[in-house]
Amino acid sequence: MEILGTKMWDMSPDLLHYHKQMIDSAVLLRAQFEKEGSETGTPFFMSKADNFNERIYVGNALRIDRWYGEDMDETDTIVNVVPVEGPIIRNGDGCSYGSKNYRDWIMEAADLPRCVGHLIYIDTPGGSAYAKNDFQYAIDYARSKNQPVIALVDGLCASAGMALASMCDEIYFVNPGDRIGCIGTMCAFYATPDGAVHTISQDRYVEVYGSKSEWKNKEYRDAAVGNYDELQKEVDELNEQFWNIIRTYRPQVLEEQMHGKIYNCGEVVGTLVDGQGTMQSCIDRILELAGVQSVTAAAGNGGEAA
């Protein structure tokens, strides 16, 4: 429903339109979906008590209920790992988290005395243009507690994913062929003009607005008849917000990289990314930035996080 009802996207258009077409087909074919109970999510911590291996699960896909774990004591060190994979929506659904969930998850972890930092594991084509605010709020909150936030790209980091990564203290990638960039905002929706007649049923589409509501939905009504001026202003404002995020958190990005092109990570070291790394080396880097002695194996050389 959020994909159908949201018009502003920081997402690769091929995937966005694929999802829209899939949903349209499901509606036309009267496809039914029955959810069997709540789905268990897989957010996790990495803990010194277990040599920073994945070990703790929490909550479900609709609500992050509580943190829990065994064999941890008050002296244990915890790194909060947040896997952001697939399209980013705000509210989540039965199979995935939304940016609101990620926001609450990061902030709840940041409040734990034993949490020393956060690792954002990214493989996403982007998503809602409004998800950036949730990520910014949460990451700034973690940073206010002197907890470093590191991004690790493993696959694709496009559009809203790029905005998320740029907010982190440092960005690393697993493979030089991983993709990053696509900075920009797009608008996509179907519009029907007032008075349009269905070609088969001959039903007429009618809209009637209050006489003093001349600005209500004006950008949509204009777009339905081919006038995009008001809508263009809205898209440009969101795009400028996106640019301001990149300029603020990652000022080393080149002007030419701000216009929507996507790059191989290995080609943009020093601008869009900081180097090549692994989950292990990023954990070590978080501990280093947090001033915590690492108990893991030393990270490798060759541009890795350490």
Side-chain angles (χ1 to χ4, degrees):
M1 292 303 298
E2 186 172 335
I3 291 176
L4 289 176
T6 301
K7 70 181 187 301
M8 295 296 183
W9 295 96
D10 297 331
M11 179 189 278
S12 299
D14 51 350
L15 187 61
L16 173 62
H17 294 311
Y18 168 77
H19 279 287
K20 283 184 175 290
Q21 292 170 4
M22 183 173 60
I23 293 171
D24 287 341
S25 297
V27 171
L28 291 172
L29 296 173
R30 304 294 193 272
Q32 296 186 17
F33 171 73
E34 295 182 3
K35 184 181 175 185
E36 299 179 358
S38 62
E39 299 291 330
T40 300
T42 58
F44 58 93
F45 283 142
M46 287 191 171
S47 167
K48 185 172 70 175
D50 199 39
N51 198 32
F52 293 100
N53 293 318
E54 178 182 345
R55 64 192 298 274
I56 300 173
Y57 294 82
V58 56
N60 59 59
L62 296 180
R63 175 179 170 82
I64 297 170
D65 297 293
R66 58 196 176 97
W67 305 107
Y68 65 95
E70 299 176 356
D71 302 325
M72 291 198 301
D73 56 44
E74 295 181 355
T75 62
D76 196 12
T77 298
I78 294 171
V79 173
N80 176 38
V81 182
V82 184
V84 179
E85 300 172 290
I88 298 171
I89 55 179
R90 289 206 68 217
N91 295 290
D93 57 26
C95 302
S96 66
Y97 292 96
S99 59
K100 292 179 182 178
N101 300 120
Y102 292 127
R103 175 196 65 199
D104 296 343
W105 172 357
I106 293 171
M107 294 176 69
E108 186 175 354
D111 283 335
L112 292 175
R114 292 173 291 173
C115 182
V116 298
H118 309 260
L119 173 60
I120 315 296
Y121 178 86
I122 299 176
D123 185 8
T124 177
S128 171
Y130 303 104
K132 298 190 294 292
N133 297 329
D134 298 318
F135 292 128
Q136 185 173 19
Y137 189 78
I139 292 175
D140 284 350
Y141 183 78
R143 191 174 285 114
S144 73
K145 292 179 172 289
N146 298 316
Q147 297 171 355
V149 184
I150 296 292
L152 177 63
V153 178
D154 190 1
L156 177 64
C157 180
S159 211
M162 179 70 233
L164 166 59
S166 71
M167 297 173 194
C168 300
D169 296 305
E170 296 173 359
I171 306 172
Y172 297 96
F173 58 89
V174 174
N175 190 300
D178 291 336
R179 306 279 280 166
I180 193 168
C182 199
I183 298 171
T185 302
M186 63 174 286
C187 179
F189 66 100
Y190 295 110
T192 302
D194 181 28
V197 178
H198 195 282
T199 55
I200 298 176
S201 68
Q202 297 302 302
D203 291 334
R204 182 179 295 277
Y205 177 76
V206 177
E207 287 184 344
V208 179
Y209 288 84
S211 57
K212 295 183 179 180
S213 300
E214 64 273 16
W215 286 97
K216 186 175 181 63
N217 300 331
K218 187 177 187 303
E219 65 271 32
Y220 303 101
R221 289 185 281 145
D222 287 351
V225 295
N227 181 357
Y228 306 123
D229 292 345
E230 293 297 328
L231 196 59
Q232 187 67 58
K233 292 178 183 177
E234 188 175 354
V235 177
D236 288 344
E237 287 175 1
L238 287 171
N239 195 76
E240 190 63 29
Q241 291 176 17
F242 197 161
W243 275 38
N244 287 337
I245 287 174
I246 301 296
R247 291 189 187 106
T248 299
Y249 293 98
R250 203 155 185 88
Q252 66 268 46
V253 173
L254 303 177
E255 168 70 25
E256 65 196 53
Q257 297 171 336
M258 299 277 282
H259 293 270
K261 187 176 179 180
I262 194 163
Y263 303 87
N264 289 333
C265 287
E267 300 172 345
V268 289
V269 175
T271 54
L272 293 179
V273 297
D274 294 297
Q276 187 173 4
T278 63
M279 182 76 78
Q280 189 75 74
S281 66
C282 286
I283 292 294
D284 285 340
R285 180 58 174 157
I286 289 171
L287 297 176
E288 179 184 351
L289 292 174
V292 178
Q293 184 178 1
S294 173
V295 296
T296 64
N301 296 319
E304 290 190 350

